[in-house]
């Protein structure tokens, strides 16, 4: 069932990417970066269908990078690319959804970011430049971020000559939104907070957190750097909605308590247990 669900997400993500390309960006002369940008510019210059350039450029990239990524990545990327290509063919005859520059940038970036993010989330990829970045990193030790930054700088600069400087500037905004939305899809959905609590009343605070908020906690042994005294620290992970209540509860027990909270980009398996269950 998990595999079926993954392929459903791959399908949905691929179709969303196709909608963003064919119905928003391409008809209005805007791009986002990577192979999709090259496909749109090739279509504008020599009228080659977007799907054709998309597949022709992605297949070699997948062959080059595939041995570093494993069978699962290759199969899921091929599936996502095929679905995207079919959807691009289907949506090609349709008129653009909007011609408003603001809506193009916002919704074009949003759709591509969500689509690519879903595909990457379940172990695939849409854009061949990311695959080449992985290959360059493994073979020549070039940082992935620098490789992508360089290649997309070249692509977006070329967009100024194919379309116009103004459209290239809008494309940079699209690329930025796509990047941020992908980050949110990959890291933001299960984002939580890890909390470290230093207090003179650790047992009392721990019991309060467990009984009142149902938060599972862990006691860590520590030593004061100045006093040299042994102490207990409290560590727990919670979501960002519960954290304000956690902070209020801790300070109600010990106003001098020190709390350190950090965002964690992926949280799984967080359980809330009663103190009795923990002792069992």
């Amino acid at each position: 069932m998990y595999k079926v669900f993954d392929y459903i997400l791959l399908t949905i993500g691929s179709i969303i990417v196709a909608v963003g390309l064919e119905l928003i960006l391409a008809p209005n002369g805007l791009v986002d970066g990577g192979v999709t940008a090259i496909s749109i510019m090739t279509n504008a210059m020599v009228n080659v269908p977007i799907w054709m350039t998309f597949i022709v450029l992605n297949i070699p990239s997948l062959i080059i990078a595939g041995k570093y990524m494993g069978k699962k990545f290759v199969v899921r990327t091929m599936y996502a690319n095929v679905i995207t290509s079919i959807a691009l063919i289907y949506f090609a005859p349709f008129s653009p959804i909007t011609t408003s520059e603001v809506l193009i940038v916002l919704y074009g970036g949003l759709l591509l970011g969500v689509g690519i993010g879903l595909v990457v989330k379940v172990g695939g990829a849409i854009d061949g430049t990311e695959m080449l970045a992985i290959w360059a990193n493994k073979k020549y030790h070039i940082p992935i971020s620098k490789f992508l930054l360089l290649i997309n700088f070249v692509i977006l600069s070329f967009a100024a000559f194919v379309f116009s400087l103004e459209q290239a500037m809008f494309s940079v905004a699209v690329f930025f939104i796509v990047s941020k939305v992908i980050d949110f899809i990959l890291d933001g959905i299960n984002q939580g907070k890890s909390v470290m609590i230093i207090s003179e009343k650790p047992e009392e605070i721990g019991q309060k957190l467990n009984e009142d908020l149902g938060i599972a906690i862990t006691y860590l042994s520590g030593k004061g750097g100045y006093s040299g005294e042994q102490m207990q620290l409290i560590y727990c992970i919670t979501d960002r909605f519960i954290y304000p209540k956690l902070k209020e509860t801790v300070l109600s027990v010990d106003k001098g308590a020190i709390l350190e909270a950090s965002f964690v980009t992926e949280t799984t398996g967080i359980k809330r247990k009663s103190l009795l269950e923990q002792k069992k």
Side-chain angles (χ1 to χ4, degrees):
M1 288 303 297
Y2 281 114
K3 184 177 288 188
V4 171
F5 182 70
D6 284 350
Y7 274 88
I8 290 173
L9 289 182
L10 282 171
T11 303
I12 293 172
S14 301
I15 293 173
I16 290 175
V17 169
V19 170
L21 290 176
E22 279 288 5
L23 301 186
I24 298 182
L25 295 184
N28 295 290
L30 294 185
V31 298
D32 72 306
V35 168
T36 55
I38 296 173
S39 303
I40 292 173
M41 290 189 287
T42 303
N43 174 256
M45 291 187 294
V46 294
N47 203 31
V48 175
I50 294 175
W51 70 268
M52 189 175 296
T53 308
F54 177 79
I55 283 291
V56 167
L57 293 180
N58 271 341
I59 289 177
S61 302
L62 183 58
I63 293 173
I64 292 172
K67 65 178 181 179
Y68 297 109
M69 301 302 295
K71 181 181 177 181
K72 177 180 175 181
F73 173 83
V74 172
V75 171
R76 295 192 176 199
T77 298
M78 288 179 63
Y79 176 82
N81 276 242
V82 169
I83 296 298
T84 302
S85 299
I86 293 172
L88 286 169
I89 295 170
Y90 176 78
F91 289 121
F94 287 75
S95 300
I97 295 174
T98 180
T99 56
S100 165
E101 292 169 340
V102 174
L103 294 179
I104 294 166
V105 171
L106 289 177
Y107 285 94
L110 179 64
L111 286 174
L112 257 69
V114 170
I116 294 172
L118 288 175
V119 171
V120 174
K121 185 77 174 178
V122 292
I126 288 288
D127 201 297
T129 54
E130 295 170 1
M131 304 177 214
L132 290 177
I134 294 168
W135 169 77
N137 176 258
K138 296 290 185 180
K139 193 170 182 66
Y140 301 108
H141 308 291
I142 300 173
I144 292 176
S145 58
K146 290 185 178 179
F147 184 92
L148 290 175
L149 182 63
L150 177 62
I151 197 167
N152 282 311
F153 174 78
V154 174
I155 291 171
L156 291 172
S157 298
F158 192 62
F161 295 96
V162 177
F163 300 114
S164 69
L165 179 59
E166 184 180 55
Q167 286 171 299
M169 293 169 69
F170 277 121
S171 295
V172 172
V174 173
F175 178 72
F176 177 78
I177 293 174
V178 170
S179 301
K180 291 300 179 183
V181 174
I182 291 174
D183 288 343
F184 176 76
I185 294 295
L186 296 181
D187 299 330
I189 293 178
N190 293 324
Q191 196 175 75
K193 278 195 170 185
S194 64
V195 184
M196 185 77 73
I197 304 167
I198 303 173
S199 170
E200 295 179 354
K201 303 176 181 179
E203 297 283 351
E204 189 176 343
I205 290 175
Q207 187 171 0
K208 192 89 171 167
L209 291 177
N210 192 267
E211 292 179 350
D212 292 2
L213 302 182
I215 297 175
I217 64 171
T218 299
Y219 289 113
L220 304 176
S221 297
K223 183 179 180 180
Y226 178 75
S227 64
E229 296 179 358
Q230 296 294 325
M231 63 178 67
Q232 279 190 318
L233 288 74
I234 301 172
Y235 177 77
C236 62
I237 296 177
T238 186
D239 60 59
R240 50 191 167 182
F241 303 106
I242 297 296
Y243 175 71
K245 183 63 178 176
L246 179 148
K247 181 179 178 181
E248 179 184 331
T249 301
V250 170
L251 295 180
S252 69
V253 176
D254 181 5
K255 292 183 179 180
I258 299 172
L259 288 87
E260 186 277 325
S262 305
F263 278 111
V264 288
T265 57
E266 184 71 25
T267 56
T268 56
I270 297 177
K271 297 179 181 179
R272 295 181 181 176
K273 303 178 181 179
S274 68
L275 196 61
L276 181 60
E277 287 175 323
Q278 289 190 56
K279 287 180 178 179
K280 288 180 179 179

